[in-house]
Amino acid sequence: MKKPKLSFWQIWNLSFGFLGVQIGYSLQNGNTSRILEALGADVHSIGFFWLAAPLAGLFVQPIIGLSSDKTWTRLGRRVPFILGGAIVSALAMYFMPNAEYFTHLLPALAFGAIMLLLMDTSFNVTMQPFRALVGDMVDDDQKNLGYSVQSALINFGAVFGSLLPFILSKLNVANIPAEGEKVADSVVWSFYIGGTILLLSVLWTVYKTKEYPPKEHAEYNNIDLEANESKPKVSIWSLIPNAPKIFWQLGIVQFFSWFSLFLMWVYTTRAIANQVWGAEALDPKSIAFNEAGNWTGVMFAFYSGIAAIFAFLIPSLAKKYGRKNVYSFSLILGGLALASIFFVHDKTILLVSMIGVGMAWASILAIPYAMLSSSLPAEKMGVYMGLFNATITIPQIVAGLIGGSIIALFDNSPVAIIVISGISMILAGLSVYLVKEKSLVN
């Protein structure tokens, strides 16, 4: 049996909660380095703090995937994990920018790092089931649309989340820390607002989504429930050798893509602070550095806005030019755009570079999942999507471990790291042609 054809708004509601999750994730990406520097971290060690995110994802997502594959509750299979992760994420967002007020428990930097770990772990608990939910509910001939809509919602959320500190500062919320404080009110209130929207948007998906019950899901995916119950249990890691070839082929592309993205997220604030504001921004509590932090949010919002628009074009472009060609072109263009930042000393012109980054980001969020989900066994969709997250987390771990050494090789120049990021993205684009698809779907 084919799954029912879903309306655009049904597909929209499936992923609507991801809008709020991405607002939180974007606030994390755009402001974590800014917060940690204010709490006492330096540019050489800051990449190590960021390792909390990929380490959490490496272990959490496969476990959540396997658990949600085997779970059925009154709320569904994936929805309970989405909701639980959202609640914890929001709480961590409320606490992290206030780390300086918990020094009676831990040093501020340590408390902030723990909240970062907790926040990102719970983001991962929420994100993985969203990926699997589209795979569960959407038929193959709508998967490009399903994941493109998810990509668009992710990027709408990223635009808002990235811009929040900038918007609040324009509304006269203080953009530098008050006397005796470490984190600016514009950042603190951004995290409060982002956490609240995260909860509300996830509740919308919970309310509007009715997952297929086990019997119906089995019929749509040709699963023999009785046979599955009689099969011996297998561990998560024993599934890895049996993953389809496209899993590994896409993994190469993902390695270079996410190595690039991690470096961009970690070092952009300091890179543009040095490149555009210069010596005035050396102090992380200075007006210039906090202006650079806000402008990083504007840049990330801009590329996310480009990605949101481009995501809606991906299905038609993939149909006309081929999915792989669109994927490769977008990644190469993104890499060239990142490398171009080396030559830019005007903050407005930096937005031009973000056009290519936005196109690459939209493709990264949509195309590999559309390719992979069509080749996965339906009864293992969640766990394989979780395992596939290792192709995101491992390159980030590598980047976090060697980022400090790379920056030392280039005379402690963060902008040099952004160029390395661009080169890695170009390699990702070239690696796309190693991928052999089982079938092309529209």
Side-chain angles (χ1 to χ4, degrees), residues 119-193:
M119 183 166 55
D120 206 88
T121 300
S122 50
F123 281 154
N124 277 285
V125 171
T126 304
M127 287 177 176
Q128 194 285 328
F130 266 120
R131 300 288 191 197
L133 185 61
V134 174
D136 289 344
M137 301 292 291
V138 178
D139 200 52
D140 279 356
D141 60 3
Q142 286 190 299
K143 277 184 178 171
N144 273 353
L145 176 62
Y147 284 108
S148 293
V149 168
Q150 188 171 91
S151 177
L153 282 164
I154 288 169
N155 285 294
F156 287 139
V159 170
F160 184 71
S162 298
L163 281 177
L164 256 181
F166 179 80
I167 293 169
L168 292 178
S169 69
K170 294 302 180 185
L171 295 174
N172 295 321
V173 178
N175 192 47
I176 58 172
E179 185 69 29
E181 296 183 351
K182 297 181 182 295
V183 182
D185 282 350
S186 59
V187 175
V188 174
W189 278 98
S190 293
F191 274 65
Y192 290 165
I193 294 168

Side-chain angles (χ1 to χ4, degrees), residues 239-379:
L239 296 171
I240 296 176
N242 297 317
K245 286 184 179 179
I246 194 171
F247 181 101
W248 304 106
Q249 294 161 352
L250 284 169
I252 297 172
V253 183
Q254 291 276 91
F255 181 90
F256 289 116
S257 299
W258 287 91
F259 185 89
S260 170
L261 290 169
F262 185 88
L263 294 179
M264 179 187 75
W265 289 330
V266 173
Y267 293 102
T268 293
T269 296
R270 177 48 67 188
I272 70 165
N274 292 1
Q275 192 86 340
V276 178
W277 280 266
E280 295 178 4
L282 292 177
D283 182 355
K285 295 182 181 179
S286 65
I287 294 174
F289 180 78
N290 280 281
E291 286 180 353
N294 277 1
W295 196 253
T296 297
V298 172
M299 290 167 60
F300 287 5
F302 187 77
Y303 86 64
S304 298
I306 295 295
I309 296 168
F310 189 65
F312 283 117
L313 300 176
I314 286 175
S316 57
L317 291 173
K319 185 174 182 179
K320 184 173 182 180
Y321 298 108
R323 197 154 54 183
K324 284 168 60 174
N325 291 329
V326 173
Y327 193 17
S328 178
F329 173 79
S330 302
L331 295 177
I332 291 171
L333 187 62
L336 293 172
L338 283 168
S340 73
I341 292 174
F342 182 83
F343 303 99
V344 180
H345 297 274
D346 183 291
K347 68 178 186 179
T348 305
I349 296 176
L350 286 169
L351 298 178
V352 178
S353 297
M354 293 296 102
I355 295 173
V357 174
M359 294 172 66
W361 179 234
S363 297
I364 289 167
L365 291 177
I367 296 179
Y369 296 98
M371 286 180 168
L372 180 65
S373 63
S374 297
S375 299
L376 294 178
E379 70 274 17

Side-chain angles (χ1 to χ4, degrees), residues 23 27 86 89-90 93-94 190-200:
I23 289 173
L27 283 166
S89 297
M93 289 183 70
Y94 297 150
S190 293
F191 274 65
Y192 290 165
I193 294 168
T196 301
I197 294 175
L198 188 160
L199 277 176
L200 293 175

Side-chain angles (χ1 to χ4, degrees), residues 9-23:
W9 292 112
Q10 286 175 308
I11 291 174
W12 177 277
N13 289 335
L14 283 177
S15 294
F16 187 73
F18 221 142
L19 176 83
V21 176
Q22 191 61 38
I23 289 173

Side-chain angles (χ1 to χ4, degrees), residues 394-430:
I394 290 174
Q396 292 184 72
I397 292 168
V398 173
L401 290 173
I402 69 175
S405 300
I406 295 174
I407 201 170
L409 290 175
F410 291 94
D411 196 27
N412 297 325
S413 170
V415 74
I417 298 289
I418 304 300
V419 175
I420 299 294
S421 169
I423 293 170
S424 183
M425 190 70 80
I426 292 169
L427 291 174
L430 297 175

